[in-house]
Amino acid sequence: MTVKFTILLSLALASSVSASAMNLQTYLQNVEANHRTIKSYDLSKQAADDRNTAGDIELVPVMNAGVSFLSDKNPLSQFALLGVPESKQTTYNLGFGKKFSSGTNVTLWGQTSEFDNAGITDPAFQPYSKFGYGQLGVTLEQSLWKDFFGAATRLRWERQDAATAAVKGSYDLQIRGVLVQAEVAFWEYLYAVNNLKTAQGSLDRARKIESWTRRRVNDGISDRADLLQGQALVAGRQLLLVTAEDDLESSKQAIRDFMELKAADPFPLIEGNLGEARPINSLVSGGKGRVVQIEAYLKSLEAKARAVTAEEVDEAYKPDLVLSGAYTTNNVSADMAEATQNLTYTEKPTTKIALNFRYMFDTSVKSAAKDAARKEALASRLQAERQLVDSDSAWSELKRRYEEMNKRVQSAAQVYKLQTDRSRATSDLFNKGRTITMNVVDSENDAATAELNLSRLMTEQRKMEAQGRLYMTVEE
């Protein structure tokens, strides 16, 4: 039996809430937009992306520029031996360097200097009393073993991507946790409204029973004990009404907290259907595939990052064989300006090709570092595998409990219908004087209890469906 409870309370939520009634989807959208904790998680996810991008800081081009002035009065300097009391040198340099993802380091630089060596008396060295000197060079380095053509960079990218996905997923999981709690508050509010409605209806019926019994006592048809029984029913219903009112206020405060409403803000219009069941997998993220807990999936991402970290450690301790080459132009001119113009002069270059080898011996320290990374990766993988086992078990248990809950709701709906029909029939008999007051009171209590039990079970069923937000599908 489908039981729909529609709650329309006065006034709409100012500015941020639509004037129309809010269903579950609109309510959760409002929570996502206003809840500070969710906003903080969104910012943290953005920060994780930024950190991932910042991991390429070593690939950013670098510029170096400088100017220097040298005054040399060293009596043993090369120009002092030519009779120069003080040699002056002014130098300007500019360079650019970049490391590429292939592991190639490239540096391009240029330098011009002007020398002032007043005091040279030997005519053969007179051209060196004042001259300019310029150089333009390029240097390349490429690893042929360790970080072979960017192997370390590719491993770092793979690790960062897995770690970033895990971090962002953890924040997303926490957001989903907040939304699950917010949805629970939504259904609890609808239950509280229905509870209040049921309590008020029960009180009204109890007062009718009391009024009818009072007339029968006054007419001498019933005993005073019947009247006391009716009055006790009214008192009990009044107590239930007070409790229902308190529960409603508590549930309204929970809604306000999730929507971050101020005390002066009007309470939003809310509508929902406690009796509308959803498939247990309706809130599971993703398409077809294996249903797993998001927490278990994040654990597998962490294990992947650990495995790549172990590969990075192995890469870092490999022997290093670096091929490097340099080419530099050289020109000597009358002054700095001319030397700058002649930077590309290639008739007297300096070239260099080198191959350098570096090897770290296989000591226990080196082995321990590599073993530690491998063991951490293995431990993380085992934890992830165990998490998936627990995830499968949790999902199967959730589906089993949901099927059982469906049966309980169906049974409770049948009981509610029967108890309601019984209560009406008993009241009819009571009005005809064919039954006693106790039977009427008992049937009324049973009907009210059946109605509340049905509402509670449907509320728990909706809350159970909300747990699907904590699951996702992955490809086998």
Side-chain angles (χ1 to χ4, degrees), residues 140-368:
L140 292 90
E141 288 186 356
Q142 177 65 59
S143 177
L144 303 179
W145 198 333
K146 174 182 175 181
D147 191 20
F148 178 71
F149 286 97
T153 300
R154 290 190 294 274
L155 287 173
R156 176 175 59 79
W157 283 345
E158 186 178 357
R159 171 181 52 80
Q160 286 181 179
D161 288 344
T164 300
V167 171
K168 291 177 63 178
S170 68
Y171 290 125
D172 186 62
L173 177 60
Q174 294 179 76
I175 290 175
R176 290 171 177 269
V178 174
L179 293 179
V180 168
Q181 296 173 15
E183 182 174 345
V184 168
F186 179 88
W187 297 120
E188 286 291 346
Y189 170 74
L190 293 182
Y191 171 77
V193 172
N194 181 65
N195 188 21
L196 179 62
K197 177 183 175 182
T198 301
Q200 183 64 57
S202 296
L203 178 59
D204 293 341
R205 291 190 294 272
R207 283 173 173 166
K208 289 181 180 179
I209 293 173
E210 180 197 16
S211 176
W212 178 255
T213 305
R214 187 182 298 278
R215 287 197 301 270
R216 290 171 63 89
V217 171
N218 292 336
D219 293 341
I221 301 176
S222 295
D223 297 330
R224 185 169 179 273
D226 292 334
L227 176 60
L228 293 175
Q229 192 171 24
Q231 291 175 336
L233 177 63
V234 171
R237 290 291 182 264
Q238 288 175 333
L239 177 59
L240 291 177
L241 180 62
V242 172
T243 302
E245 290 173 343
D246 181 68
D247 291 343
L248 179 59
E249 289 302 316
S250 297
S251 63
K252 288 172 69 176
Q253 186 58 50
I255 294 290
R256 284 182 172 275
D257 291 342
F258 278 109
M259 297 179 65
E260 300 218 357
L261 300 178
K262 298 179 180 178
D265 293 333
F267 194 77
L269 304 173
I270 295 214
E271 69 174 7
N273 188 350
L274 277 174
E276 184 178 352
R278 299 167 292 181
I280 189 61
N281 60 350
S282 61
L283 298 179
V284 175
S285 299
K288 297 181 179 180
R290 178 184 180 183
V291 178
V292 299
Q293 289 177 323
I294 296 178
E295 185 178 1
Y297 174 70
L298 297 179
K299 200 67 178 179
S300 66
L301 290 178
E302 293 177 7
K304 180 180 179 181
R306 289 283 189 180
V308 178
T309 298
E311 294 182 45
E312 283 187 291
V313 172
D314 284 337
E315 184 69 25
Y317 289 122
K318 282 183 178 179
D320 199 5
L321 183 64
V322 179
L323 176 64
S324 62
Y327 179 88
T328 307
T329 65
N330 302 281
N331 78 87
V332 178
S333 303
D335 52 30
M336 180 182 291
E338 185 178 343
T340 303
Q341 294 177 356
N342 296 332
L343 280 177
T344 58
Y345 179 72
T346 59
E347 292 188 9
K348 297 180 179 181
T350 300
T351 58
K352 178 183 178 181
I353 297 178
L355 188 63
N356 297 310
F357 178 73
R358 181 177 179 273
Y359 175 75
M360 181 184 294
F361 289 101
D362 292 327
T363 64
S364 59
V365 176
K366 178 179 175 181
S367 299

Side-chain angles (χ1 to χ4, degrees), residues 4 56-57 63 65 68 83-84 86 90 124 144 177 184 204 219 244 258 261 267 285 310 317 375 391 405 408 427 468:
K4 182 175 182 180
D56 281 338
I57 193 69
M63 182 188 76
S68 64
V84 178
E86 180 183 8
T90 303
L144 303 179
V184 168
D204 293 341
D219 293 341
F258 278 109
L261 300 178
F267 194 77
S285 299
Y317 289 122
K375 290 174 181 177
S391 171
M405 181 62 73
R408 293 174 64 185
S427 297

